[in-house]
Amino acid sequence: MNPWKISAQFAAFVWFLQERHQPAVTSHEAARFAKDNWVAFLPYADPGCGRLLIAIKGPKAAGRRPHPRIARKVPRGSGNTKPAATNKN
């Protein structure tokens, strides 16, 4: 990863979020703007900041995929297993 590029993208990301004071602006839109327009922010980039951002992100695990969200199951024996009583009057 190039620290100059990462720093410029971060500058573009922050600039986009601060210039658009609309509540409808999402971080996804800001990330897209930063990816497309980072070259214009190179004069404001700092390689030290880029290295810091890279270090914060940490090493990328090869082949690692995010875990799918698994529904939590209630363990057996916990809670009331009898159906609720119905009132038949």
Side-chain angles (χ1 to χ4, degrees), residues 12-32:
F13 180 84
V14 172
W15 179 86
F16 187 84
L17 287 179
Q18 288 182 350
E19 287 298 311
R20 310 280 194 243
H21 296 291
Q22 304 167 1
V25 173
T26 65
S27 61
H28 178 71
E29 292 170 331
R32 171 55 68 189

Side-chain angles (χ1 to χ4, degrees), residues 28-78:
H28 178 71
E29 292 170 331
R32 171 55 68 189
F33 174 83
K35 185 177 179 183
D36 294 342
N37 300 294
W38 66 271
V39 175
F41 290 84
L42 273 175
Y44 310 105
D46 178 45
C49 180
R51 284 190 292 273
L52 177 64
L53 292 169
I54 292 168
I56 290 171
K57 182 180 178 193
K60 186 174 183 180
R64 188 173 181 190
R65 295 182 187 160
H67 295 287
R69 182 162 279 196
I70 300 172
R72 187 176 142 233
K73 295 182 180 179
V74 177
R76 290 185 182 188
S78 64

